[in-house]
Amino acid sequence: MSRFEIIKREDFSDVTYLLEILHPMMAKVARPGQFVIVMLHEHGERIPLTVADFDRNAGTITLVIQAVGKTTKEMQQACQVGTGLYAMVGPMGIPSPISHAKKVVCVGGGLGVAPVYPQARAFKEAGAYVIGVLGFRNKSLIFWEDKFRACCDEFIVCTDDGSAGIKGLVTEGIKQAIAMHSDIDEVVAIGPPIMMKGCAEATRPHQIKTMVSLNPLMVDGTGMCGGCRVKLGDKVKFACVDGPDFDGHLVDFDDLMTRLRRYTKEERMALDHWEKNCRMQKQIEAASALPASPAPASKVKR
Amino acid sequence: MREQDPQARAKNFEEVACGYSIEDALRESERCMLCPDEPCIAGCPVGIDIPGFIQKLGEKDFRGAYDILTDTNLLPSICGRVCPQETQCEGVCTVGDSLEPVAIGRLERFVGDTAIKEGWVNIPYIEPTRFRVGIVGSGPAGMACAADMAKAGCDVTVYEAFHQPGGVLRYGIPDFRLPNEVIDAEINNLRKLGVKFECNTLVGRLFTIEQMIEEMGFHTVFVGVGAGYPTMLGIPGDSLNGVLSANELLTRCNLMRAKEFPNFDTPLPLGHRVAVVGAGNTAMDAMRVSKRLGAEKVYCIYRRSRKEAPARVEEVHHAEQEEIEFHWLTNPVAVLDDGKGSVRGMRCIRMELGEPDDSGRRRPVPIAGSEFDFETDLIVYAIGTNANPIMGQTSKLKLNKWGYIGADENLATSVAGVYAGGDIVTGAATVIEAMGAGRKAARSMKAYLGIRDSSLPYMAQDGNGAGSLFGIDLKERNFARVRVA
């Protein structure tokens, strides 16, 4: 029934989940660094999500989502195999420029682990020596290790509690990579703004080109609303059409983080409103003794 | 025309102007003198036979009036509401020399609304051709072009990046000026002509203009993507939270229905004291939307005087009735920070009018030492837009020095078979001008495809037309019309 059908779902943890969505035309042209805007339903908001992978043969677009706000939590409940999204438009943004760098460090943390994967793979395919640096809170949250190992010449995992790999943030991993290789041409860092800021600061003294992928608030994603404007030195750029990739040494991350907090109050309200409705729904169902709705899938469904 | 009371309407999103009753329309139609030189037709960007439809209206033949209107204008309900009639048809009306001009826009709206209510739609006899036409953008330029190409028998597909068609009519113009039902009705009329709408499609990124011609089987393509890319002032404090473009405010409110938050998920910044910079139609919409969202005070900050304001006269008038505070000859110099990354206020400077500039309007000059601060918690920039860069990034279309798509007088671009019109060629303009451009491009596209039809009253492009074009009488309109109940 729905136009953008979900054909696979995988849950990495209780907050992180993967969706594969059928869109053969988009799968044919999507490139690393691009993003899509999705709407769950007609009353939904438009949220930008970086393309985590694409399969040109199967015609699918892969999204990896963290359930943090109302929409992503609602999607976690609603998006099951066989259901669909109300809208998905893309691929948006300028594809990441896969340079001729010979040695590259690809850094992913939190939300950014999945989107940095296609870049690591593209660099590998372009003949670069790829060092993967991934950050997770603890061992149980690690995902896609096999995919990264397949396209990385070196692979460094960092965990906050030291339960796997190095204990510490991804910046520790970057420092280790820089210590071991004096000839790194480029660092690509994707993750929360505070992490990307740390990465840019870690590479600045070594003057290593550092590209970051910004994900500010957006509405249309086509350059029309200006909600996603970011400061780059003394210039203002729109992440949706001028980016989303920018030189990390020029990005004003403090400005980005302030602007990301614009709707904190409203986001809280939307979440409360939705959770209240969910609770009421459950009470109604319990009261009328109807069978409860199926529990959210916790394993891969195909 | 009856209007909602200003006090009441400033709190709802219902339409302000209630429209004519039959009696009003008949009375107003009698004021038209049916003068022989028909200045109003020349004053209309699409050349509607205005005296013709008013005459039918006066004869109570509303269907006949609708038929005449739709010969040249597919979207009478929209144009009757949003055209700047005072600088077009009504501005040159003979009656207007001594009295109020005939309210052509209101009569047009009456006929269009009657058609929607009665379910009338004019499907001309269409002889199918083998041609496929692709249209990029479902705003007024794309809709007008789609209508003409479909009537010429082409298989037309319109692509839209948003999840609903309509372009600026949908995301930009608020419900109280142009209700969504009117847009839906007009789009359904296009569907009845066989036009297909494909939403969620970002042309340029999903496929390119060149691919449409070379791989996807389109014989000709029209690009009407609008100007997009809002301008920021470039003053200190621009990036503070609480400063946003009118496009963002209006899109959140109109398309995403943030006014119904949290039943709709998209939030909206609510201000108690809202300052809107600019005095065009978009600025008026932003102010009146803010008022309806519950702002206590809404200020209009404009560096020129009321006379130079580019908005429709009626919009300024409505805004004044709704207690918008206008600060003419005032220019922002800085946005003031509350220390937590949000807006606390604005610093402005008083201006005076100096010598005329390139646009012929008197240039505003700052008065030294006249800076002053005032309190505001939301600032909306409605100071125009720049060219959207996506087409330039993804196609070989030649751009002009401002980044707009370069097009010749026939609206042909640098790529064979590709035409462009509307804001993406001219920069920000009006709905009817975009529709005019869409129709002009359609004429060129038909010539390019070798389609010769007589369904349009051909207009001589210059004085050499000598009353005929390729042997076709300029006033010829000999297509058969099929009526659908």
Side-chain angles (χ1 to χ4, degrees), chain A residues 35-37 46 48 89 92 217-228 238 240-241, chain B residues 160-163 171 202 228-230 245 247-248 251-252 255-256 388 390:
Chain A
F35 65 95
V36 295
I37 284 192
R46 294 170 68 90
V89 57
M92 296 173 140
L217 302 181
M218 292 185 188
V219 183
D220 60 300
T222 60
M224 196 204 73
C225 80
C228 67
F238 290 4
C240 64
V241 288
Chain B
E160 165 62 44
F162 268 130
H163 49 283
Y171 74 74
L202 181 60
Y229 218 92
S245 72
N247 271 2
E248 181 174 355
T251 305
R252 282 177 183 272
L255 176 76
M256 304 309 297
N388 188 298
I390 295 178

Side-chain angles (χ1 to χ4, degrees), chain B residues 437-472:
Chain B
R439 303 203 65 202
K440 190 173 171 186
R443 277 200 288 278
S444 304
M445 290 158 82
K446 281 187 266 187
Y448 173 78
L449 296 174
I451 300 173
R452 194 179 121 159
D453 76 353
S454 53
S455 65
L456 294 167
Y458 283 91
M459 299 291 163
Q461 295 299 313
D462 52 39
N464 308 328
S468 89
L469 189 69
F470 308 124
I472 301 172

Side-chain angles (χ1 to χ4, degrees), chain B residues 122-143:
Chain B
N122 281 335
I123 310 281
Y125 169 74
I126 294 177
E127 179 87 350
T129 66
R130 60 187 176 83
F131 297 117
R132 292 188 62 217
V133 176
I135 292 182
V136 186
S138 67
M143 281 165 82

Side-chain angles (χ1 to χ4, degrees), chain A residues 25 39 43 46 70 87 91 93 220 222-225 227 229 231 238 241-242 255 258-259 262-263 266, chain B residues 162-163 171 200 205 207 229-230 232 238-239 241 243 245 247-248 251-252 261 263-266 269 388 393:
Chain A
M25 214 169 179
M39 274 176 88
H43 287 209
R46 294 170 68 90
K70 190 253 171 178
D220 60 300
T222 60
M224 196 204 73
C225 80
R229 61 190 193 274
K231 268 197 200 162
F238 290 4
V241 288
D242 301 322
D255 175 71
T258 311
R259 288 186 53 77
R262 262 184 298 166
Y263 293 110
E266 287 84 359
Chain B
F162 268 130
H163 49 283
Y171 74 74
N200 297 305
R205 292 284 171 207
F207 47 81
Y229 218 92
M232 305 309 282
D238 254 3
S239 67
N241 288 342
V243 181
S245 72
N247 271 2
E248 181 174 355
T251 305
R252 282 177 183 272
F261 179 86
N263 290 324
F264 280 70
D265 291 343
T266 304
N388 188 298
Q393 288 168 350

Side-chain angles (χ1 to χ4, degrees), chain B residues 168-480:
Chain B
V168 71
L169 305 174
R170 181 83 65 180
Y171 74 74
I173 302 178
D175 289 6
F176 56 83
R177 274 222 289 143
L178 179 62
N180 273 332
E181 301 79 69
V182 174
I183 307 171
D184 292 337
E186 304 285 25
I187 283 171
N188 277 332
N189 284 349
L190 283 177
R191 287 209 169 100
K192 285 179 193 152
L193 285 176
V195 176
K196 294 186 280 282
F197 286 89
E198 295 280 347
C199 292
N200 297 305
T201 308
L202 181 60
V203 177
R205 292 284 171 207
L206 191 59
F207 47 81
T208 63
I209 300 284
E210 284 85 352
Q211 279 178 302
M212 291 176 77
I213 298 269
E214 287 159 18
E215 297 170 23
M216 295 169 69
F218 289 108
H219 296 92
T220 176
V221 168
F222 174 73
V223 182
V225 296
Y229 218 92
T231 315
M232 305 309 282
L233 270 175
I235 57 174
D238 254 3
S239 67
L240 290 172
N241 288 342
V243 181
L244 75 166
S245 72
N247 271 2
E248 181 174 355
L249 177 82
L250 293 172
T251 305
R252 282 177 183 272
C253 184
N254 300 336
L255 176 76
M256 304 309 297
R257 314 210 76 73
K259 57 178 183 276
E260 291 159 61
F261 179 86
N263 290 324
F264 280 70
D265 291 343
T266 304
L268 191 68
L270 295 176
H272 299 290
R273 292 164 173 265
V274 182
V276 177
V277 183
N281 288 320
T282 308
M284 299 302 144
D285 288 345
M287 290 174 223
R288 298 172 64 197
V289 160
S290 298
K291 193 85 190 177
R292 281 161 177 74
L293 290 168
E296 290 149 29
K297 292 266 183 198
V298 180
Y299 311 108
C300 172
I301 310 293
Y302 186 53
R303 63 199 181 110
R304 301 175 192 257
S305 72
R306 184 173 203 244
K307 210 172 115 237
E308 286 84 17
R312 288 173 84 215
V313 170
E314 185 175 302
E315 304 308 325
V316 181
H317 173 68
H318 279 154
E320 282 173 340
Q321 283 182 332
E322 289 167 19
E323 295 172 349
I324 309 291
E325 269 183 40
F326 284 86
H327 295 269
W328 308 109
L329 292 165
T330 306
N331 202 26
V333 287
V335 178
L336 308 174
D337 190 344
D338 71 348
K340 287 179 280 187
S342 295
V343 171
R344 167 175 67 88
M346 193 179 222
R347 179 162 300 154
C348 290
I349 189 164
R350 301 275 184 216
M351 311 289 277
E352 58 189 353
L353 291 179
E355 293 301 307
D357 63 10
D358 296 343
S359 69
R361 299 179 295 182
R362 291 177 66 192
R363 186 194 302 274
V365 197
I367 302 170
S370 66
E371 289 94 343
F372 65 99
D373 294 354
F374 67 95
E375 245 180 72
T376 166
D377 51 2
L378 192 73
I379 295 173
V380 182
Y381 288 168
I383 51 172
T385 52
N386 290 317
N388 188 298
I390 295 178
M391 286 299 136
Q393 288 168 350
T394 59
S395 75
K396 295 189 199 76
L397 292 176
K398 282 222 175 73
L399 307 180
N400 65 21
K401 63 177 172 177
W402 299 283
Y404 296 109
I405 295 178
D408 68 8
E409 69 279 8
N410 297 316
L411 298 180
T413 68
S414 58
V415 176
V418 178
Y419 296 78
D423 284 7
I424 193 58
V425 171
T426 56
T430 61
V431 167
I432 189 73
E433 282 169 302
M435 289 180 45
R439 303 203 65 202
K440 190 173 171 186
R443 277 200 288 278
S444 304
M445 290 158 82
K446 281 187 266 187
Y448 173 78
L449 296 174
I451 300 173
R452 194 179 121 159
D453 76 353
S454 53
S455 65
L456 294 167
Y458 283 91
M459 299 291 163
Q461 295 299 313
D462 52 39
N464 308 328
S468 89
L469 189 69
F470 308 124
I472 301 172
D473 187 332
L474 292 182
K475 301 255 170 173
E476 185 181 0
R477 265 177 242 166
N478 61 351
F479 59 94

Side-chain angles (χ1 to χ4, degrees), chain B residues 40-105:
Chain B
C40 47
I41 300 184
C44 172
V46 293
I48 296 174
D49 178 5
I50 293 165
F53 98 80
I54 294 183
Q55 189 176 9
K56 288 280 183 205
L57 189 56
E59 292 163 5
K60 295 190 189 170
D61 178 3
F62 301 143
R63 178 69 201 233
Y66 179 66
D67 291 348
I68 290 177
L69 267 176
T70 48
D71 276 355
T72 39
N73 182 5
L74 186 85
L75 314 167
S77 282
I78 294 178
C79 294
R81 286 175 169 84
V82 301
C83 272
Q85 287 95 3
E86 66 269 11
T87 59
Q88 296 175 351
C89 51
E90 294 177 18
V92 291
C93 175
T94 313
V95 178
D97 292 347
S98 44
L99 301 161
E100 274 290 297
V102 177
I104 299 168

